[in-house]
Amino acid sequence: MSCVDRDGYTRQVADLSAFVMTHPVRAGTGPYKAQLSSLLTVPDFIIQTKVYVPRRRGGTVTRLRLSDRLSRGLDARLTLVSAPPGFGKTTLLASWLASARQPERVTAWLSLDQSDNDPTAFWRYVIAALQTAAPAGGFDSLPLAEATQSPSDVLVGALVNVLNALPDDLVLVLDDYHVVANHNVHEAMGQLLDCLPPQVHLVIASRTDPPLALARLRARGELVEIRAADLRFTPEEATEYFKDVMAVDLKAGELAILAERTEGWIAALQLAALSMQGRDNIAEFVKSFAGDDRYIVDYLVEEVLQRQPVHIRKFLLQTSVLNRLTGALCDAVTDQDGGKAMLETLDRANLFVVALDDRRQWYRYHHLFGDVLRAHLTDEQPDEVAELHRRASAWYERNAERSEAIRHALSAGDFAHAADLIELEWPALARGKQDVLLRGWLAVLPDDLLRCRPVLSNVYAGMLLSAGELEGVDQHLRDAERWITPSGPADTQAVGMVIVNEAEFRTLPGSVAVHRAGYALARGNLVDTANHARRALDLAPEDDHLTRGGANALMGLAAWASGDLETAYRSYAEGMADVQRGGHLSGTVGRAVTLADIRVVQGRLRDAMGIYEQALQLASQQGGAVVRGTADMYIGMSELQRERNELDAATQSLLRSDELGRQSGFAQNRYRWRVAMARIREARGDLDGALDLLSGAQPLFMIDLSPNVRPIAAVRARVLVRQGRTDEALRWADEQGLSVADGLTYVHEYEHVTLARALLASDSALQASGLLDRLLQAAEDGSRAGSVIEILVLQALAHHARDDMQAALSPLRRALILAEPEGYVRVFVDEGPPMAELLQACAKSGIARAYVQRLLAQSGTAEGGPQFRQSLIQIEPLSDRELEVLRLLATDLDGPEIASQLVVSLNTMRTHTKSIFSKLGVNSRRAAVRRAQELELLSRTPAG
């Protein structure tokens, strides 16, 4: 196989890729163009004349999805591959033709350059390429002299006649067609397309759409199109490219970042790989990769910006300050007319603009291209940047898009105007729960400016509170309060004070009082919380629903934290109704979660589910839009379904929550989602999986104004108890400073109940019983039926551990009576075989017989000794060493003495004990011995 290298020497080349790698020539210039054109023939030979993506020898990326489309398109007249530079147009076509070679099909390939605007030169090179592909085709007889005429009927007619006579199929590839600007050439190409014989297929690769009758061809089904969106690397292709072609080993997360930043643009990915060479910290480079990377800048400047006419280059730079582009907005920013036409020109020219709607009214720049434009604007016209942003802000303000107006005002450094707009816009942002956006704007404003704006000072304090950030709250509230007189707001004309939203200023005293209440609650001062909330209600007008709703909700949260659940429910429900009256839908839906939580603590599961269902019904009336808070409600519903033992439904609710969070961009409460899934895993017996989820939940926990009455660490301790790791659970309790002698508060009730569970599992039933008696009295005084049921269950288990069955049935009877109307299941069946034994005793005694039978069925057992006995027998066999340990557990020896007897370490003995507990389904030594007696394990002789 022969070719011509850059020095004009002919040499034999065994492999095309080797030649391309060692000779990245730009064919088509000077005296060698005809020779190179004749050599650029596929399938026998191809040279890529512009290697945008250099490859290792033999390296390639498999792109079957595109190759298949190209092959299927051979029956059409024209294949158009149109995309900006660096999208791999040439590479794709060369790879496809090399892989799709067939004996009965020949290919002619011509790379074009600026000199081909001359019709005679253009057709000479086309004919030379065709003649090389089909030497016997008669192309040397064509009348090239006619190429300069317009129209070129004679030449085109003669060419069609020659093509018609070809015995084989032929593919003619015209690469870099965008360099052709001559009208005569385009006209003749249009004529050729109209008359193209069926065995001839034309392929055009171009940075812009050629001025041919594309719409007509498209309507007839005679056009195959591959565009930038198709050429972008998929994640799988990007992975293959970095690993197999560039020999760069990146993690999945790093690949995802690059794919997002480059939008699959092949040249950018290749340039990123070049930039990584010689770097020690690849991960840090990937995180910071942007359009200011020197390779990206050099490439785009050379290939795009410097090739544009002055007026287009100016337009690109000036409009680079915009995230979105439309004609009128561009006119306002550039202070020129013709923005719409210019955008259409850029779109047709594939100049890195992306249409954002089907009507092509709104566009944006490719992210990296936009980075480069902004960098050059800053370098070349630094004094113009602020003015361009001011013009954009003014346009958006005139068109009632305040958010964008604010963004551009801040970018322009026009903080005073930005503050004016924020003060006007913040109520709408609050209704839409766009707290993060609002807080980000406020953080940019200078402190001196904020201090003179009481409305914004108060809003900022509220934003910080909602994010759980207490630093700065008090100062911002003081800044707002200095403009409030004892009788209400100061005169709006007070010297130094700036007020734009007078309606919000009139509600300022009540709003500040609400934030004072929230600040007190966040610091644990329940008395001040209630006092400030009452003051807010006194100050707020009846129609100030948001302020009144906030005050009532905070009073409810304070009552919840103190354990007064009925007051908490009433106050919070009133606050929720206030918010709904004020038209704050997302606030209403979000508050439903807290209201349902209060009902769960009260043991009213059906009411809680009803709250969720009503809120979901309200959210569904919003025309298909996902309301913030909806995802969280599905987490709460999942917890209720788990308690009913509807584990599949509970899992589906969590999956639905995750789906809604992704759809809406409003992520669900991520830590609570993981805790809920951990409880489901625990219910299914996957205790290790539950612990993994809880470990992942802890870093995601965010402090808010609701009391943290069920700490993740306490939930984890309960799973440890179930695993037989009682010593670890007790260590947690010690680290938290928990003891049986503590004064009891509702906030720590769950933790103290967890301590009681650990004590029961460690054969300290007497200590546990005393703590449970006190916990029961406190829960009953607070009307916390949910807690009462669990404590009664544990009291029954404590009596059972002391072999006092009659005493155990008394608290269990009370628990069943409270639990049956609400459909509790897991609170009983989670306790395993000891509870099953107690429930069978209840059934025999006629206690809540129907309910007990349902619980026994849910736990996999039923009334009657033999069936229960069989369920106990189906355990994982104990090893000989475990049987030996089990027999010693039945003695009076303590742990160290058993370890000494077995001549093992104390840790090894504990490992055996945990395994025994797990296999027998117990969590204490006493229960293990009782279970062993029931199964007659103590009389078994170890094998061998």
Side-chain angles (χ1 to χ4, degrees), residues 640-659:
L640 295 175
Q641 290 160 338
R642 185 205 63 83
E643 178 54 47
R644 294 175 179 173
N645 205 32
E646 299 167 359
L647 300 185
D648 289 341
T651 301
Q652 288 303 312
S653 290
L654 288 183
L655 295 178
R656 178 60 175 156
S657 170
D658 186 59
E659 178 186 1

Side-chain angles (χ1 to χ4, degrees), residues 370-450:
D371 289 344
V372 170
L373 292 176
R374 283 185 288 275
H376 272 262
L377 175 66
T378 302
D379 288 342
E380 297 177 16
Q381 305 172 39
D383 297 335
E384 296 294 320
V385 176
E387 177 58 28
L388 294 172
H389 279 295
R390 272 191 287 270
R391 293 174 186 173
S393 178
W395 187 89
Y396 275 117
E397 186 177 0
R398 288 194 302 272
N399 287 271
E401 292 193 45
R402 282 188 186 146
S403 292
E404 282 297 309
I406 292 167
R407 186 182 72 81
H408 283 288
L410 291 172
S411 298
D414 191 350
F415 297 119
H417 188 56
D420 290 347
L421 293 172
I422 293 171
E423 188 168 326
L424 293 170
E425 183 66 5
W426 90 262
L429 293 171
R431 283 192 294 271
K433 287 291 182 181
Q434 298 186 56
D435 298 354
V436 175
L437 177 64
L438 182 55
R439 193 167 72 249
W441 287 343
L442 292 169
V444 176
L445 297 178
D447 290 339
D448 291 344
L449 183 147
L450 270 176

Side-chain angles (χ1 to χ4, degrees), residues 714-836:
V715 179
R716 182 178 183 276
R718 294 188 176 203
V719 179
L720 292 175
V721 170
R722 289 198 63 188
Q723 278 194 322
R725 297 161 64 179
T726 309
D727 52 344
E728 294 180 53
L730 289 172
R731 191 179 308 123
W732 158 80
D734 185 60
E735 291 170 352
Q736 299 301 309
L738 299 171
S739 76
V740 295
D742 288 340
L744 301 182
T745 63
Y746 166 63
V747 172
H748 296 293
E749 185 171 82
Y750 185 86
E751 293 169 289
H752 279 115
V753 172
T754 304
L755 171 62
R757 285 182 172 277
L759 291 171
L760 279 175
S762 64
D763 291 331
S764 300
L766 188 60
Q767 281 186 293
S769 295
L771 177 58
L772 289 170
D773 289 342
R774 295 171 58 223
L775 286 168
L776 179 62
Q777 184 63 53
E780 288 178 332
D781 290 346
S783 300
R784 299 187 292 274
S787 298
V788 168
I789 292 170
E790 182 184 9
I791 294 167
L792 290 170
V793 165
L794 293 179
Q795 283 186 327
L797 291 172
H799 290 301
H800 180 269
R802 296 198 297 269
D803 296 322
D804 191 345
M805 184 66 73
Q806 194 61 38
L809 294 183
S810 178
L812 186 55
R813 178 187 293 106
R814 290 185 59 200
L816 290 167
I817 292 171
L818 288 171
E820 181 177 10
E822 301 300 328
Y824 281 89
V825 175
R826 296 303 316 182
V827 71
F828 298 102
V829 303
D830 280 344
E831 305 303 334
M835 179 52 62

Side-chain angles (χ1 to χ4, degrees), residues 458-498:
N458 179 54
V459 170
Y460 200 1
M463 293 298 101
L464 293 173
L465 272 175
S466 67
E469 300 174 14
L470 300 188
E471 185 177 355
V473 172
D474 182 63
Q475 184 57 55
H476 287 302
L477 289 177
R478 290 178 184 275
D479 290 340
E481 287 167 338
R482 68 193 184 103
W483 301 104
I484 301 175
T485 66
S487 59
D491 190 313
T492 58
Q493 302 301 315
V495 176
M497 181 174 67
V498 179

